[in-house]
């Protein structure tokens, strides 16, 4: 199995688990077989998972996790 999943609580806290070779679950590079809370106090409004990276949105910020995330940030401009 090389997939990974995200789940949200009503409080908008996010959990992730599964294959994590590229860091796409926001837990470093450790793979977890059961849900683990993403360690932040941010309340997420949306999250998208696919391939080797993930994107999460709060009211003010974008978070990128996984492969190529650092390169994507270089192309974004925040005013």
């Amino acid at each position: 199995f090389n997939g990974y999943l995200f789940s949200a609580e009503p409080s908008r806290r996010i959990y992730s688990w599964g294959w994590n070779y590229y860091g796409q679950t926001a837990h470093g590079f450790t793979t977890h077989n059961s849900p683990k809370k993403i360690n932040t106090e941010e309340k997420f409004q949306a999250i998208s998972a696919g391939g080797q990276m993930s994107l999460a949105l709060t009211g003010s910020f974008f978070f990128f996790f996984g492969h190529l995330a650092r390169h994507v940030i270089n192309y974004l401009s925040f005013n």
Side-chain angles (χ1 to χ4, degrees), residues 2 4 17 46 57 63 76:
N2 64 355
Y4 61 103
W17 67 101
L57 261 156
F63 291 86
L76 294 176

Side-chain angles (χ1 to χ4, degrees), residues 35-65:
K36 181 174 175 159
K37 182 181 169 208
I38 294 177
N39 192 21
T40 180
E41 294 304 313
E42 296 291 338
K43 292 185 177 183
F44 294 100
Q45 294 182 349
I47 192 156
S48 176
Q52 300 168 351
M53 68 179 289
S54 304
L55 165 68
L57 261 156
T58 69
S60 305
F61 299 101
F62 290 97
F63 291 86
F64 290 91
F65 312 112

